[in-house]
Amino acid sequence: MTKTKTLRTRFAALVPMGVAVALAMTACGSTGGASSGGGADQKTITIATSNDAPFSFTDQASGELKGIDGDMINAIAEAKGWKVKVFTSEFATLIAALNAKKADVIVDAMYITDDRKKQINFTDPWYTEGEAMVVPSDSTLTSRDDVKGKVLGAQTGTVFKDLVDSLGGSQVKLFDSQAALLAAVENKQVDAVFTDSAVIGYSLVQKPNPKLKLVSPYKPFYPGIIGAGVRKDDTQLLADLNSGLADLKKTPKYLEILKKYGLDDSNMSK
């Protein structure tokens, strides 16, 4: 999963309801609501995802659902005694797929927005996520207010280009990939770059780099509140997910999941 794709999907405009979409199905057909499966009384819940790391994706080695959102729904399902099936589609088609009953719930780092709430209901917030500021490890920069007159970087085609353009830097450099962006910080071609916090956090968990530093604490310019989405008429599932989420947040596992994928307590939602 490329950085560019992630950013474009997280901030993409929605596909209107009723638009025909080509859907890739990995494990299920139409659900018509959470259903019984497996054991005699065990409910199966089908989640919709764009298979997008680090949010909700199928691990190629194990075949298991992983990610920030993936681990959270697995924890909720385990506590509820549910089985989880996975349905994959492009991010922009997930709401249409949900309302077409191809899945029971969207679990894919979807921002809770007023426009989306016109089409689906959202659970209580799962966590918050926005952009991150990355600097060389020996940098003294601590916030966006410090970058005026500095050389700044962002990835081509992302919303963060507009952000760096507004910060009064002496120069803005654009890069075609996440790897190139981070290499520019490492080699001090730039003083600071701005990129998606979950993606950069996960990248540094997978491949630690002592020459890079995530500025923390950091208040995002583009803050996002993440929730899971269900159909408007699926009120029982919404209640069940919210109760499961509330129980999860009471345990250490909630923060453990966030940290596992490079986030921290600043991303927790009460």
Side-chain angles (χ1 to χ4, degrees), residues 116-129:
R116 286 170 176 155
K117 286 193 287 188
K118 295 175 183 176
Q119 301 180 57
I120 61 175
N121 283 334
F122 280 98
T123 62
D124 295 332
W126 284 34
Y127 59 95
T128 63
E129 194 260 339

Side-chain angles (χ1 to χ4, degrees), residues 11-228:
F11 293 91
L14 295 176
V15 172
M17 292 179 64
V19 173
V21 294
L23 301 172
M25 187 178 300
T26 60
C28 69
S30 299
T31 66
S35 59
S36 295
D41 299 320
Q42 188 174 25
K43 183 164 72 175
T44 296
I45 186 170
T46 302
I47 68 109
T49 172
S50 60
N51 200 30
D52 192 4
F55 304 107
S56 180
F57 62 98
T58 299
D59 180 73
Q60 292 185 351
S62 66
E64 297 177 349
L65 177 66
K66 299 286 188 180
I68 306 167
D69 304 67
D71 282 12
M72 289 177 67
I73 192 64
N74 281 337
I76 292 171
E78 182 180 3
K80 295 287 187 183
W82 300 341
K83 292 184 65 176
V84 175
K85 285 189 175 181
V86 177
F87 172 89
T88 59
S89 180
E90 292 293 326
F91 187 84
T93 68
L94 290 177
I95 289 181
L98 176 73
N99 284 326
K101 298 187 177 181
K102 297 295 183 181
D104 302 308
V105 55
I106 297 169
V107 179
D108 198 26
M110 183 167 279
Y111 281 22
I112 300 173
T113 68
D114 290 339
D115 282 345
R116 286 170 176 155
K117 286 193 287 188
K118 295 175 183 176
Q119 301 180 57
I120 61 175
N121 283 334
F122 280 98
T123 62
D124 295 332
W126 284 34
Y127 59 95
T128 63
E129 194 260 339
E131 87 277 2
M133 178 176 165
V134 186
V135 298
S137 58
D138 59 354
S139 173
T140 59
L141 302 178
T142 59
S143 75
R144 287 192 302 275
D145 295 335
D146 294 338
V147 303
K148 188 174 182 179
K150 303 296 184 181
V151 179
L152 307 178
Q155 188 172 349
T156 305
T158 70
V159 296
F160 305 124
K161 176 187 180 300
D162 295 336
L163 173 61
V164 296
D165 283 343
S166 72
L167 294 177
S170 63
Q171 184 180 2
V172 171
K173 295 185 177 181
L174 299 178
F175 301 89
D176 291 334
S177 69
Q178 172 89 345
L181 188 69
L182 298 183
V185 180
E186 181 177 343
N187 298 327
K188 300 189 176 181
Q189 300 172 37
V190 294
D191 296 304
V193 300
F194 294 84
T195 186
D196 185 282
S197 65
V199 175
I200 183 63
Y202 182 65
S203 174
L204 293 178
V205 166
Q206 297 297 304
K207 188 178 180 181
N209 187 333
K211 295 183 178 181
L212 303 180
K213 179 171 67 178
L214 276 173
V215 172
S216 181
Y218 175 83
K219 185 177 182 179
F221 184 83
Y222 292 116
I225 300 174
I226 307 300

Side-chain angles (χ1 to χ4, degrees), residues 224-239:
I225 300 174
I226 307 300
V230 301
R231 285 184 293 277
K232 287 282 189 180
D233 61 356
D234 211 344
T235 55
Q236 184 59 56
L237 179 58
L238 182 64

